[in-house]
Structures are given as C-alpha cells and as structure tokens.
Amino acid sequence: MSSTPFQIEANPAPVDANARTRLLADPGFGKLFTDHMAMIRWSDTRGWHDAKITARGPLMLDPATAVLHYAQEIFEGLKAYRLSDGGTALFRPQENARRFRESAQRMAMPELPDDLFIGSLEALVAADRDWIPELEGGSLYLRPFMFASEVFLGVKPASEYLYLVIASPAGAYFKSGAKAVTIWVSDHYTRAAPGGTGAAKCGGNYAASLVAQAEAIKQGCDQVVFLDAAERRWVEELGGMNLFFVFDDGSIVTPPLTGTILPGITRDAIITLARDQGMTVREEPYAMDQWEADAQSGRLVETFACGTAAVVTPVGQVKSRDGGFTIGSGGPGQVTEALKARLTAIQRGEAPDPHGWVHRFG
C-alpha cells in the first residue's frame, strides 16, 4: 500500500447493496459508476495537496476554467480485478503511472508522483471494492484524469490543476458481443502526425477520432483504423487500440512506436508474452496494401486489436471505400485466443506471474 495519506470522506448516501447487486448483474461498459472518487489538487504555490477519497458527484466549474478553452487534459485507463483467492489487484499500475507522467510532460502539465497515482487507485478501490462485478470477465475500470482548473483566459500552461479518479464496473466492451470485429479504414481522417500528441493519452486525440469512428459505424463496422498522416499508407492503430498481425510462419508484426501511436500497456504485455512462448515479434511498419495482399494470399492468418478496455479482440473483416477483405476464417484465431487466455489468467491471479505485473493490495 502507498504511504500517501488520503483523507476518507465516506459517501453519506451510497447505493443500496441490493440495488448494487442488480446493477452488477449486467454492468456493460462505462455506464455505471461507484460511490466514491479520488481527488488531489495542484497549484504552482502549494504543489500537490488535499488528497482525499470523497463522494462521487458533479464538479462546479467556472465558465472560464482553462480546460474548457485550451483542452489541457490527460487521462489513463486500467482495471482492478477480484482474484481467484479473494484478493484484489491492479495490472501493471506502475506503467500507467509512467505514461501519465509522460502525457503530462507533453501537455505542459505537472507530473503526478507515482506513489500518489498508485495510492489514489488503491484508496478508491478499497472504498468501492464491493463494486467489482463477480460475473465472468468482470472488473472495475478505473479512469484517472487531470485537467487545467485555473480560471483564466490566456494561452499558457495553467497554474492550477485537478486530478481525479472515478471507477466504473465493467463487463463486455463491445455491445455486439461479436467473436471478431469489423473495422473501417479511414481514407480521409488521420489520428496523429509526427511532432503531435499521438503518444500522449489526451482527450484531443480521441475527440479527433470520433468523426472517423462515426463513419465506421455508418458503414456497419465496429471500429476505425487510421493510417499514417504523411503517406496515408502505413497502418497505425484503431481509435483506441493497438494492432497486431499474425502470419502463417508463426511470426507477429505490430506497428512501431515512433511518436504517433499510443504506447499501449496491453500492447507491451502481448509482445512480452508472445516472445516468452518463442514467437518472433517484429515492431515494424506494415502497409495497408500489404495487409490486404497478405490476407488474400493466406500469408496473414490473424489480426487482433488490444487495449485495457477490450483486452484482446480478434479482427475478422476490414472494409474500405475500395471494397474489403476477410482475415483467415473471419473469426478468432488460435494465436489470438491463446495470448488472450494467457494474459487474462495472469491478470486474475490464475496463472504464474513471472514478470511481476500483478499489483496485489488490500
């Protein structure tokens, strides 16, 4: 446990236990929220201060709050799991803490120390542990975020920030429950460019992806895939997930981290697990036309996406204005399913954890 003191202000009107049980029977994703939230303030005169767990509720913001005008904001996403032995754990929170600091650097925001970041997660989960769903695959999704809270109309880094963590019981990420998703290739919009904020986890990246995601939904697809901004040729990532390509010789390719792709923590875990099993994993550029050619020739046998929310998701079909193609059988592949099973077993304490990824507490 973190040694950082958090003042605990219990919610005076928590959700009734029976009502909570009914809600957790089918939580979906991102619609339900727990009774509490973590909060820490920062100012250029006091630094980080007023760390507390308090009742979740609306925020009162002045119309001139800086984030509303200049979008100085970052966030993270990770999950708390109920382990098979009854304990509670987070998966690689140190990596989320590191990425949160790196996002803050890019957005000219103060860096939250790792012990405060992890301490806020532990304290919130301890307060709301009963909200972790017991259904298969259930977890408590944690959303740490920070924004410029100074009331000021001027283009400069703010002098005050508010950091919060909210928690949401989670079930399946994709509403369709599909065994494999269909993705749409965006030929007009791009997610990030060299020198931009692609490697930072900031809201603006996701806001810029929404019009392309809406286009994908209109085309009957589940997700959008973006190509590079310079040549519109190289596959980068989905709106919120990294991509992997599995070939008939057992090797795997994933696009490299060159500054325009978010360095996914699940991505890194998948690379490590695949290499542990003796597979060759190459981080190298992969062209859109090559993707189609390899799928049609049979050289490419599987494609999957990964991220904290959806974990590992098979990609069955790819569509574009020029047509489309099917990957393998159009359903989950053996490598995808094996890597997903291995990862989730470690996350839930059901398999050995040789890399020390599982952060047990409480």
Side-chain angles (χ1 to χ4, degrees):
M1 291 286 288
S2 167
S3 60
T4 304
F6 277 78
Q7 179 182 350
I8 308 299
E9 299 175 354
N11 189 325
V15 174
D16 174 77
N18 291 330
R20 183 179 63 231
T21 299
R22 291 193 296 271
L23 292 170
L24 293 181
D26 184 19
F29 185 87
K31 293 185 176 181
L32 296 179
F33 298 94
T34 65
D35 294 311
H36 298 89
M37 62 184 181
M39 179 184 295
I40 315 175
R41 296 184 180 276
W42 185 92
S43 68
D44 57 3
T45 56
R46 297 184 60 188
W48 294 104
H49 61 282
D50 291 348
K52 62 183 178 181
I53 301 297
T54 189
R56 181 186 178 274
L59 301 176
M60 182 85 65
L61 296 180
D62 188 283
T65 300
V67 68
L68 301 178
H69 303 271
Y70 310 116
Q72 220 185 348
E73 180 270 352
I74 59 174
F75 69 97
E76 270 299 324
L78 67 163
K79 292 177 177 178
Y81 301 92
R82 195 187 301 274
L83 301 178
S84 56
D85 63 5
T88 308
L90 303 169
F91 184 69
R92 306 186 74 185
Q94 298 87 349
E95 291 302 305
N96 293 93
R98 175 192 55 77
R99 191 170 65 182
F100 198 70
R101 286 189 286 100
E102 291 176 353
S103 294
Q105 290 175 8
R106 179 61 183 85
M107 302 301 288
M109 302 170 77
E111 294 181 42
L112 182 70
D114 290 3
D115 68 329
L116 272 177
F117 181 91
I118 295 174
S120 68
L121 305 176
E122 293 176 339
L124 180 57
V125 173
D128 286 339
R129 187 180 184 279
D130 290 341
W131 281 93
I132 303 177
E134 295 188 12
L135 75 164
E136 183 178 355
S139 61
L140 188 62
Y141 182 80
L142 303 174
R143 171 53 60 86
F145 62 104
M146 176 169 62
F147 64 88
S149 57
E150 181 183 9
V151 178
F152 179 78
L153 294 181
V155 184
K156 68 173 186 66
S159 62
E160 296 176 4
Y161 295 85
L162 185 61
Y163 166 81
L164 300 107
V165 188
I166 55 177
S168 176
Y173 181 74
F174 287 106
K175 299 176 184 177
S176 65
K179 293 295 184 180
V181 297
T182 300
I183 59 178
W184 174 256
V185 181
S186 179
D187 60 357
H188 180 66
Y189 301 103
T190 59
R191 178 186 171 275
T197 60
K201 199 166 178 65
C202 61
N205 292 344
Y206 295 80
S209 75
L210 295 180
V211 65
Q213 176 65 23
E215 182 179 72
I217 298 298
K218 187 176 180 180
Q219 296 294 331
C221 299
D222 301 289
Q223 272 282 332
V224 62
V225 60
F226 291 99
L227 305 180
D228 73 293
E231 297 182 61
R232 307 293 179 93
R233 181 190 177 197
W234 305 102
V235 180
E236 293 214 319
E237 65 174 287
L238 303 190
M241 291 180 282
N242 297 116
L243 274 175
F244 284 81
F245 308 93
V246 184
F247 297 91
D248 58 2
D249 63 358
S251 65
I252 299 177
V253 165
T254 191
L257 301 179
T258 58
T260 59
I261 294 176
L262 185 73
I265 294 165
T266 305
R267 173 190 182 276
D268 182 73
I270 289 292
I271 292 173
T272 300
L273 291 177
R275 288 174 174 164
D276 284 349
Q277 296 175 24
M279 303 180 72
T280 298
V281 183
R282 301 188 301 275
E283 297 179 69
E284 63 185 29
Y286 191 55
M288 185 64 227
D289 56 354
Q290 191 65 51
W291 187 8
E292 181 172 4
D294 287 342
Q296 292 177 343
S297 71
R299 178 172 176 259
L300 178 78
V301 293
E302 301 176 38
T303 297
F304 63 87
C306 69
T308 297
V311 192
V312 175
T313 301
V315 176
Q317 290 187 306
V318 179
K319 294 182 179 180
S320 70
R321 297 189 196 282
D322 297 326
F325 56 92
T326 299
I327 299 163
S329 65
Q334 292 182 350
V335 173
T336 301
E337 293 295 274
L339 288 170
K340 179 179 181 180
R342 175 66 175 154
L343 176 61
T344 55
I346 293 173
Q347 289 174 332
R348 298 179 182 281
E350 299 167 354
D353 176 25
H355 301 286
W357 288 340
V358 177
H359 179 83
R360 293 173 177 260
F361 65 98

